[in-house]
Amino acid sequence: AGAAVFSDPICFELSSGDVLHNFLYAEPPCCGGRWPRDYVHAVQRAMVVLEPSVQFCFRRTFWWTHNYIHPADLPCDALVVLGGCDTVADPHDVRQALEAYQRGCVERGETPRVRLEWHEGWLHGGLHSDEAAQRRIIRDVLTRPWEAHGEGGQREA
């Protein structure tokens, strides 16, 4: 049996118009004293979103609804790592949707295939700048300790 890791996934929220707007159109917030968040959003926009081939792909050839993933459609166990300060997909909405899926599984007597890990202060891509978290997550996915210890489907980090 395989396993997957999703870091700040927008695939669970592609049905939301907010994701499209935040990725293609939203200007980085420039007021409010949220310097790290504003800066990361501005760099993402300049380096990725405004690049012409990315613009062409996401505006002309990317079928947003065809790339949406419902947690029940995952073919294997998955760990979803969310940063609480993401500016593309609202991480609170993603978390809420995944928690609702988990509750539904438990109510039906099923084991949820999705485990959620929440990092309140992380920006989009925060996992990629935390080597210790990367190592722990790789170890956890390979050994799946939550199965052996009967843990629930969530972890606050």
Side-chain angles (χ1 to χ4, degrees), residues 4-6 9 12 69-82 94-95 97-103 105-106 110-117 146-147 151-155:
V5 175
F6 293 86
F12 298 113
I69 297 177
H70 189 277
D73 295 334
L74 292 170
C76 61
D77 292 336
L79 173 63
V80 177
V81 182
L82 292 172
V94 175
R95 182 181 189 179
L98 294 174
E99 288 173 343
Y101 161 75
Q102 291 172 328
R103 281 191 303 276
C105 287
V106 170
E110 302 169 1
T111 302
R113 300 195 79 171
V114 173
R115 180 167 163 72
L116 179 62
E117 185 168 306
W146 56 87
E147 292 175 351
E151 292 181 30
Q154 302 187 52
R155 175 184 185 155

Side-chain angles (χ1 to χ4, degrees), residues 2 9 11 27 33 48-49 55 57 71 77 81 83 107 114 121 129:
C11 58
E27 289 292 327
V48 177
V49 177
Q55 283 289 310
C57 173
D77 292 336
V81 182
E107 290 168 3
V114 173
S129 62

